[in-house]
Amino acid sequence: MAAKTDNFQSPDYFNVDELLSEEHKLVRESVRSYVKKEISPIIEEYAQQAAFPQQIVKQLGDLGCFGPTIPEQYGGGGLDYISYGLMMQELERGDSGVRSTASVQGSLVMFPIYQYGSEEQRKKYLPKLASGEWLGCFGLTEPDHGSDPGSMLTNIKDNGDGHVILNGAKMWISNAPFAQIAVVWARDEEGIVTGIIVERGMEGFSTPTTHGKWSLRASATGELVFDNVKIPKENILPNVRGLKGPLGCLTKARYGIAWGVIGAAMDCYHTALQYSKERIQFDKPIGAFQLQQKKLAEMITEITKAQLLNWRLGVLMNDGKATPQQVSMAKRNACEIATNICRDARQMLGGMGITGEYPIMRHMMNLESVITYEGTHDIHLLITGMDITGFNAFK
Ligand code: TGC
Ligand code: FAD
């Protein structure tokens, strides 16, 4: 397949750019240029082959996409949440799998080590993760416990010699097959959820690859299997206990997804708009027909609403005022509208819409994962439902 030229132009119908600082725009431009140069030309081929483009790990580290909100002294970017959101938007405009790699590394591996780790753990792991020298993964979901991680079975037991013994299995873990370390959530002997850093090479630890995905094909997914893995106690994250530990990480990553999927939606809108001006049927560009204009008008309306919601959420995050429930609403809304936009865009391209000549079908398939992971669409609806009524409809 020939390498692709990327002529993406970002829609900004309500001049949202005026709400951004010069730094925000610079960050966005640098990630957008990177995606045009290094991701768009190759990503379709990797997705078709179901292969992970390993070179992006170092590239994303060099670009500052790993842990952009982590302080610079640990190798992070020291940036604000709007910069972080814009980075995720641009990466996912390229491919959800690329954004996934960055989300997991920054929000689910670096964030817990920074927030819940000891100073020694921060110094040992964060700079290597920030630079892309090491890749990390996050193990919460288990084969029998997905939406309900509080029922997890994976456990650690004190070995009495300064080590714990880890047993259990995690499933659906992004980055697992290539990760040097895993932040794993397991029950301790009191039954309390605890975070622990597991390193590749520890005896009894393996990461089998998950095959056969029709979605996120350019992202590596695997299992984490722990068979009596002996781990030094100093690998336990000392500053958090309970399910709020992993859920706190998810809030950061879900925030990034809310921005990210709008990138995928913008790419599909841009592609469909261009196509509608060029494709002639019944002697007219298809963009001149009302039914096609309805699709495009609704796409840009939803993109614009989501851009404004993301910006406002970013301001709340910067002020430390955003609630996890607000993040859930933004993640759910963004995934829903992005999924619908991709489907409409695909239809606008007719038969060409199902091919790898255009990015739409890839985005569409990717979004089926994104609307499922980090809390399914229905779980986020129930989070909003509980927040507004006070009734818990999960259990
Ligand atoms: P619940 O009793 O509600 O909460 C337990 C404790 O956690 C606190 N909490 C949160 N804290 C921070 N952020 C959040 N989003 C939080 N949600 C809850 C809560 O206040 C409580 O604290 P405390 O101090 O009282 O102990 O817990 P529950 O067992 O009833 O479960 C609630 C539920 C269903 C909402 C939650 O478990 C959930 O979100 N389920 C979905 C699971 C999920 O999202 N898994 C994601 C796995 S990771 C992943 O998918 C990565 S993909 C990455 C990629 O490739 O990009
Ligand atoms: P289930 O929880 O079994 O849900 C099945 C259905 O039941 C869903 O529709 C759900 O909404 C519904 N449901 C469940 N409970 C309720 C309820 N109380 N009320 C109403 N409906 C309900 N996990 C990680 O830990 N780390 C990762 O890096 C990671 N990466 C992933 C990458 C990919 C490509 C995928 C697909 C998943 C990944 N996940 C990861 C796992 C992901 O978070 C879970 O798939 C997700 O949380 C849902 O869990 P489940 O698949 O077990 O579905």
Side-chain angles (χ1 to χ4, degrees):
M1 189 171 286
K4 301 277 166 41
T5 308
D6 180 348
N7 65 357
F8 174 70
Q9 283 170 341
S10 175
D12 183 15
Y13 204 72
F14 264 51
N15 301 340
V16 181
D17 264 20
E18 289 177 10
L19 299 171
L20 304 179
S21 68
E22 285 311 310
E23 180 173 74
H24 295 148
K25 287 186 241 180
L26 274 172
V27 164
R28 183 182 59 187
E29 191 46 43
S30 75
V31 182
R32 185 170 293 169
S33 305
Y34 163 74
V35 167
K36 285 191 176 190
K37 186 160 168 268
E38 304 288 350
I39 301 297
S40 303
I42 56 121
I43 197 66
E44 184 64 34
E45 183 74 27
Y46 277 88
Q48 294 272 357
Q49 310 281 339
F52 175 58
Q54 286 184 65
Q55 70 275 16
I56 69 169
V57 178
K58 192 74 187 61
Q59 291 171 352
L60 292 173
D62 290 345
L63 198 59
C65 290
F66 291 153
T69 61
I70 302 276
E72 288 168 272
Q73 70 184 108
Y74 299 109
L79 297 170
D80 75 355
Y81 277 93
I82 293 182
S83 289
Y84 166 50
L86 287 164
M87 282 180 168
M88 298 302 117
Q89 173 189 291
E90 295 305 315
L91 292 180
E92 194 145 1
R93 212 272 301 168
D95 190 78
S96 302
V98 177
R99 195 270 309 137
S100 247
T101 303
S103 289
V104 170
Q105 183 90 336
S107 296
L108 299 181
V109 180
M110 293 176 67
F111 171 75
I113 293 173
Y114 172 68
Q115 192 70 22
Y116 312 137
S118 65
E119 194 54 28
E120 291 71 31
Q121 290 169 339
R122 289 172 165 189
K123 285 186 180 142
K124 177 175 177 189
Y125 297 107
L126 292 178
K128 286 195 166 74
L129 292 163
S131 68
E133 186 180 335
W134 282 358
L135 184 66
C137 66
F138 174 88
L140 180 64
T141 305
E142 299 187 352
D144 294 328
H145 305 284
S147 298
D148 178 21
S151 300
M152 70 174 68
L153 297 175
T154 299
N155 63 83
I156 48 174
K157 291 204 166 46
D158 195 333
N159 205 39
D161 61 352
H163 291 77
V164 291
I165 303 294
L166 175 66
N167 276 294
K170 300 287 179 181
M171 193 178 175
W172 292 118
I173 306 305
S174 301
N175 296 353
F178 294 94
Q180 274 78 24
I181 66 161
V183 169
V184 174
W185 299 93
R187 281 184 192 294
D188 68 10
E189 280 166 289
E190 294 171 57
I192 297 176
V193 172
T194 305
I196 187 162
I197 302 166
V198 186
E199 298 181 16
R200 187 172 293 284
M202 287 178 167
E203 206 178 327
F205 173 42
S206 57
T207 60
T209 302
T210 302
H211 294 289
K213 292 179 300 167
W214 284 116
S215 173
L216 282 193
R217 286 168 64 81
S219 160
T221 313
E223 294 167 52
L224 304 177
V225 181
F226 313 109
D227 180 9
N228 286 313
V229 187
K230 193 172 171 184
I231 304 170
K233 271 188 177 173
E234 63 248 25
N235 281 29
I236 291 176
L237 298 176
N239 299 324
V240 77
R241 299 194 82 207
L243 200 55
K244 64 175 182 292
L247 291 178
C249 308
L250 293 181
T251 295
K252 306 288 180 206
R254 290 166 178 171
Y255 168 78
I257 290 175
W259 283 82
V261 294
I262 298 310
M266 291 197 296
D267 202 36
C268 291
Y269 167 76
H270 167 81
T271 306
L273 180 61
Q274 297 292 111
Y275 193 84
S276 78
K277 293 176 182 172
E278 290 159 9
R279 176 70 177 166
I280 310 289
Q281 289 293 289
F282 300 97
D283 301 324
K284 278 189 190 173
I286 59 167
F289 296 117
Q290 286 183 0
L291 283 174
Q292 306 310 318
Q293 289 188 5
K294 177 174 187 290
K295 290 190 184 73
L296 290 166
E298 287 176 351
M299 285 180 206
I300 190 62
T301 306
E302 292 305 324
I303 286 170
T304 304
K305 283 152 69 179
Q307 284 171 330
L308 286 162
L309 190 71
N310 282 344
W311 176 81
R312 176 64 189 149
L313 185 62
V315 171
L316 291 173
M317 291 286 283
N318 283 342
D319 293 346
K321 290 186 192 156
T323 66
Q325 293 80 5
Q326 288 169 332
V327 173
S328 279
M329 180 186 281
K331 190 263 184 188
R332 183 175 186 277
N333 177 67
C335 286
E336 177 159 321
I337 65 130
T339 306
N340 291 339
I341 287 168
C342 290
R343 284 185 188 140
D344 277 350
R346 202 220 58 72
Q347 292 206 41
M348 286 189 65
L349 267 69
M352 288 311 290
I354 70 153
T355 72
E357 288 300 308
Y358 295 90
I360 297 178
M361 190 82 180
R362 179 169 44 80
H363 283 309
M364 212 179 106
M365 295 195 299
N366 283 342
L367 289 174
E368 290 299 321
S369 285
V370 184
I371 205 168
T372 300
Y373 66 33
E374 303 263 7
T376 67
H377 207 51
D378 284 344
I379 288 295
H380 288 295
L381 179 135
L382 294 176
I383 288 171
T384 304
M386 187 162 100
D387 198 36
I388 57 179
T389 67
F391 300 122
N392 182 340
F394 290 106
K395 301 175 183 177

